[in-house]
Amino acid sequence: IIENCLFGVDINPNSVKICRLRLWIELLKNAYYKNSTELETLPNIDINIKCGNSLVSRFAITADLKEALSKSKWTIDSYKTAVATYRNAENKEQKREMEQLIATIKNDFRSEIEKPFKKKLSEARGKVESLSQKILNLKSFGEKADKKLIEAHAAAVKLLDSLEKERDETESNKIFENAFEWRFEFPEVLNDEGDFVGFDVVIGNPPYFALSKIKEQSDYFSKANYVTYSKGADIYCLFYELGGNILKPFGLLTYITSNSWLRAIYGEPLKMYFVEKLQPIILINIEDIQVFEEATVESNIITLQKSNKSKPIKVVNLSKDYSIGNSLHEYFNKYSFEFIPLSNSEWFIGDQVAGKLKRKIEDGKKLLKDFNVRINFGIKTGFNEAFIINESKKNELIKADKKNAEIIKPIIRGRDLKKYFYEYQNLWVISTFPSLKIDIESFPAVKNHFLEIGKKRLE
């Protein structure tokens, strides 16, 4: 399984090294001695686990390799043979030779795929030069170019500028430095014609953070045909879509991610994608218990199948009556229920009793989602140590000057909000945000507090 069926990609080179080492140790545990002194040669499974940005590619998975193969001395079969030989190389020299051969094959494929674009660019440049020459020739005879010729020249220049901009962006954009080319990195999922067939199963724990935190990459994703992209989206939405794209028909995907897509506005395109392309089969929603000590977000584990046939999802809400370490399989069989998803609404995955209560509460009421309000994040001070204070410091500052009470306000953090209530921690925020246009010189005690904290930070 490790040698022939397991493949992985991660953007962090250290994660890749640890994964390779962990798999190699597993192989070593199951290795055997050929004789009393000689251990069998272990396969080079490092080629199965690769480093790269899996969300970024220069070439689409559907990019045609047929033309590249017809003009290349390599075939998909020779590529697969080279990879198999590398994996089972018996010495460093053979491994090095296969490494060079594989790099050559991939570079040839890359060059052949790029040729149509280069040809298009060359033709556009030739057309501009030809039309420019016609206009110059007319001028030399004292004649004016007609309207059609001028318009054709302008259109040709516009097309050339567009193609050159596309080329420059691809060549200079840092985002492509560690781009991962699914199109030909894993020959095991290519058929004999070079078509991308896909994986049977995709498993992952994608990162969770807002795309707004990586502006340069976010700009790329907005133009890269990700249908689950939106400005306020979380990056894991794109990983769901990528997972669906690299699956073969009726293949299965299982991820663990934040469950915020169930309620957030940015989850709407993702839910639409699920219903149309990647059918949810099983959903374990984790809200009321802390499964991971260091994680503060609520999670879900979801299994989806690459199919457009809609069917009910088996759902379970993992609650406090589940004890960590007990059989999740038994809990799921006992408490799961069926839910029929809709693409254009909030997925409320409570049981029938909870659903009835929810409808009763909402009936005839104006809901928060009905207001034209978008909240992407709460208060950002930039330096919580200085701006968020306890009650003792609050009292000290107000005692120094009663005026300070005007800018010291109680604060509730995200971690203080529970499902049906909040737990106030007696914390206060000094509200000197730029938008309030407060003159800090008018609050000397607060200014001194900032200076003291700043000095400690420097020290």
Side-chain angles (χ1 to χ4, degrees):
I1 290 173
I2 291 174
E3 184 178 351
N4 300 304
C5 304
L6 191 62
F7 306 91
V9 184
D10 199 286
I11 198 169
N12 186 336
N14 290 329
S15 298
V16 171
K17 290 175 185 175
I18 291 168
C19 180
R20 288 171 176 169
L21 178 61
R22 176 66 186 85
L23 294 176
W24 187 80
I25 290 170
E26 195 65 28
L27 291 173
L28 188 62
K29 281 164 57 181
N30 292 278
Y32 61 86
Y33 283 92
K34 292 180 179 179
N35 52 52
S36 58
T37 58
E38 187 183 3
L39 189 69
E40 70 168 324
T41 304
L42 294 175
N44 296 304
I45 50 92
D46 57 305
I47 200 169
N48 291 16
I49 313 299
K50 301 188 177 185
C51 189
N53 186 340
S54 58
L55 291 175
V56 177
S57 301
R58 288 183 176 86
F59 311 111
I61 287 174
T62 54
D64 193 0
L65 269 185
K66 291 185 181 68
E67 188 175 348
L69 289 168
S70 67
K71 296 179 180 178
S72 171
K73 59 183 178 180
W74 312 112
T75 64
I76 293 299
D77 190 53
S78 62
Y79 182 23
K80 290 181 178 180
T81 301
V83 170
T85 305
Y86 174 91
R87 191 178 289 124
N88 297 291
E90 295 183 358
N91 54 60
K92 289 183 178 179
E93 185 178 344
Q94 187 183 31
K95 181 179 177 180
R96 194 158 43 247
E97 286 177 3
M98 288 302 103
E99 199 170 28
Q100 291 172 352
L101 177 59
I102 290 165
T104 300
I105 292 172
K106 288 196 293 187
N107 283 333
D108 285 356
F109 286 165
R110 187 177 288 112
S111 297
E112 290 298 333
I113 291 176
E114 287 175 338
K115 276 185 180 179
F117 178 81
K118 290 180 178 178
K119 183 181 178 182
K120 194 175 180 180
L121 181 62
S122 177
E123 288 174 350
R125 191 176 290 116
K127 189 170 183 179
V128 169
E129 289 174 358
S130 173
L131 292 170
S132 297
Q133 191 60 50
K134 282 184 180 181
I135 292 171
L136 285 173
N137 289 341
L138 288 169
K139 281 185 177 180
S140 65
F141 288 107
E143 298 179 21
K144 287 184 178 182
D146 61 24
K147 185 180 179 182
K148 283 186 178 179
L149 181 58
I150 292 171
E151 287 177 350
H153 179 265
V157 169
K158 187 177 180 180
L159 175 62
L160 178 60
D161 288 345
S162 174
L163 292 172
E164 287 181 337
K165 184 180 178 182
E166 185 179 342
R167 178 204 60 198
D168 293 344
E169 284 180 353
T170 303
E171 291 178 355
S172 63
N173 197 335
K174 288 185 178 180
I175 197 171
F176 289 108
E177 286 180 359
N178 58 351
F180 190 80
E181 303 306 337
W182 292 96
R183 188 63 192 85
F184 40 75
E185 280 295 344
F186 295 116
E188 292 84 353
V189 293
L190 304 180
N191 63 18
D192 292 340
E193 285 74 43
D195 298 321
F196 187 91
V197 176
F199 296 92
D200 296 285
V201 176
V202 173
I203 302 172
N205 176 16
Y208 326 150
F209 59 81
L211 285 167
S212 57
K213 291 185 177 180
I214 46 170
K215 188 176 185 307
E216 184 178 327
Q217 290 191 42
S218 184
D219 291 342
Y220 162 80
F221 294 135
S222 68
K223 303 170 187 174
N225 299 319
Y226 277 100
V227 299
T228 58
Y229 171 87
S230 65
K231 279 189 176 181
D234 196 295
I235 197 168
Y236 67 75
C237 295
L238 307 186
F239 276 95
Y240 275 114
E241 186 174 345
L242 170 68
N245 289 339
I246 62 176
L247 272 179
K248 62 171 58 172
F250 303 103
L252 296 171
L253 177 148
T254 296
Y255 280 171
I256 180 167
T257 68
S258 159
N259 66 4
S260 56
W261 61 271
L262 287 166
R263 301 172 300 275
I265 294 172
Y266 70 72
E268 295 302 321
L270 183 61
K271 283 180 276 192
M272 182 76 76
Y273 178 76
F274 285 166
V275 171
E276 294 179 355
K277 303 285 187 182
L278 205 58
Q279 293 300 318
I281 300 173
I282 293 172
L283 175 60
I284 301 173
N285 191 41
I286 309 167
E287 286 190 334
D288 294 333
I289 59 173
Q290 194 76 17
V291 177
F292 307 107
E293 290 181 6
E294 295 179 2
T296 57
V297 297
E298 294 178 338
S299 309
N300 66 208
I301 300 170
I302 189 168
T303 297
L304 308 107
Q305 186 173 43
K306 190 168 185 175
S307 167
N308 58 4
K309 291 183 178 179
S310 182
K311 52 188 173 183
I313 309 171
K314 283 278 192 177
V315 177
V316 69
N317 288 306
L318 213 61
S319 58
K320 290 178 181 177
D321 59 350
Y322 171 76
S323 299
I324 304 298
N326 288 354
S327 170
L328 192 56
H329 178 72
E330 289 179 10
Y331 186 91
F332 186 84
N333 286 340
K334 185 175 180 180
Y335 294 106
S336 63
F337 56 91
E338 287 192 340
F339 164 73
I340 299 175
L342 299 172
S343 61
N344 58 351
S345 67
E346 177 186 345
W347 286 17
F348 177 72
I349 54 174
D351 56 26
Q352 289 184 356
V353 175
K356 187 176 180 181
L357 176 61
K358 180 175 184 288
R359 286 192 295 274
K360 187 176 180 181
I361 292 170
E362 293 179 349
D363 187 34
K365 309 296 190 302
K366 190 165 185 178
L367 307 180
L368 183 61
K369 65 181 181 181
D370 298 328
F371 291 87
N372 187 23
V373 175
R374 180 185 289 270
I375 302 171
N376 291 326
F377 48 78
I379 293 171
K380 286 188 174 182
T381 67
F383 190 11
N384 285 357
E385 190 180 347
F387 286 90
I388 297 180
I389 59 176
N390 58 28
E391 189 161 21
S392 174
K393 175 56 73 173
K394 180 207 74 165
N395 292 337
E396 179 187 322
L397 291 173
I398 293 176
K399 186 178 179 181
D401 188 344
K402 289 182 180 180
K403 188 180 178 183
N404 291 333
E406 297 174 13
I407 60 170
I408 300 177
K409 308 291 182 183
I411 183 172
I412 296 175
R413 302 161 301 174
R415 73 193 75 169
D416 303 327
L417 295 172
K418 308 304 176 185
K419 193 167 185 179
Y420 299 112
F421 59 94
Y422 64 87
E423 292 178 345
Y424 181 51
Q425 302 295 327
N426 280 331
L427 292 176
W428 305 76
V429 62
I430 302 175
S431 308
T432 56
F433 307 116
S435 59
L436 299 179
K437 298 179 180 178
I438 288 171
D439 179 12
I440 195 64
E441 299 296 337
S442 302
F443 302 89
V446 172
K447 179 182 177 182
N448 289 335
H449 162 72
F450 287 155
L451 292 173
E452 285 173 13
I453 298 295
K455 186 179 179 182
K456 287 178 183 177
R457 165 70 73 88
L458 291 172
E459 289 172 353

